[in-house]
Amino acid sequence: QVQVAESGGGSVQAGGSLRLSCVASGYTGSSNRMGWFRQAPGKEREGVASIDSNGGTNYADSVKGRFTISQDSAKNTLYLQMNSLKPEDTAMYYCAAGGTWYSRQLSLIRYYYQYWGQGTQVTVSS
């Protein structure tokens, strides 16, 4: 049984930092492609960052230079370091595993992931 679990969300003031973690287990990872997505109320779920088995990364333009995705393969854990947070970063953040994308350009599209966590809330106040 595949399990994906996020943690690390919370409330922070603008300019602050948070680090999200995600542990994925229960699948014999034919793909170590993973990603972070977010969804604000009334908006579509959007890709934030992705990483492949070689450590190659991709970021949404809105978070470039502020967010960093990384993974610890030994611990099967994915991280998202979020710095210089803005109120517009407020959303539910989801971890996605089992990515099937074959090009990094596709890695921020939700349909290319098989497994999802329940999400962790990030709230940034001005």
Side-chain angles (χ1 to χ4, degrees):
Q1 182 178 356
V2 176
Q3 292 185 324
V4 180
E6 308 94 337
S7 61
S11 297
V12 65
Q13 289 192 324
S17 298
L18 283 172
R19 188 175 84 154
L20 306 183
S21 300
C22 168
V23 177
S25 61
Y27 71 98
T28 51
S30 59
S31 165
N32 287 327
R33 302 183 186 99
M34 300 182 71
W36 288 99
F37 287 70
R38 66 186 182 187
Q39 188 167 17
K43 294 189 175 182
E44 293 288 319
R45 189 172 299 189
E46 62 175 358
V48 174
S50 68
I51 191 166
D52 63 28
S53 56
N54 296 317
T57 58
N58 189 25
Y59 295 93
D61 288 343
S62 59
V63 306
K64 280 180 182 176
R66 300 188 298 122
F67 290 12
T68 302
I69 188 171
S70 61
Q71 64 184 10
D72 183 335
S73 298
K75 296 181 179 179
N76 231 21
T77 302
L78 182 72
Y79 302 101
L80 185 68
Q81 178 66 45
M82 305 185 295
N83 299 328
S84 302
L85 282 161
K86 305 175 181 179
E88 50 263 44
D89 294 318
T90 295
M92 186 72 79
Y93 282 70
Y94 297 90
C95 175
T100 60
W101 41 273
Y102 51 87
S103 166
R104 205 171 294 169
Q105 291 178 323
L106 302 177
S107 66
L108 299 183
I109 299 175
R110 60 182 294 188
Y111 303 109
Y112 287 98
Y113 290 87
Q114 300 178 74
Y115 310 111
W116 293 84
Q118 294 299 308
T120 185
Q121 178 67 38
V122 171
T123 302
V124 184
S125 57
S126 58

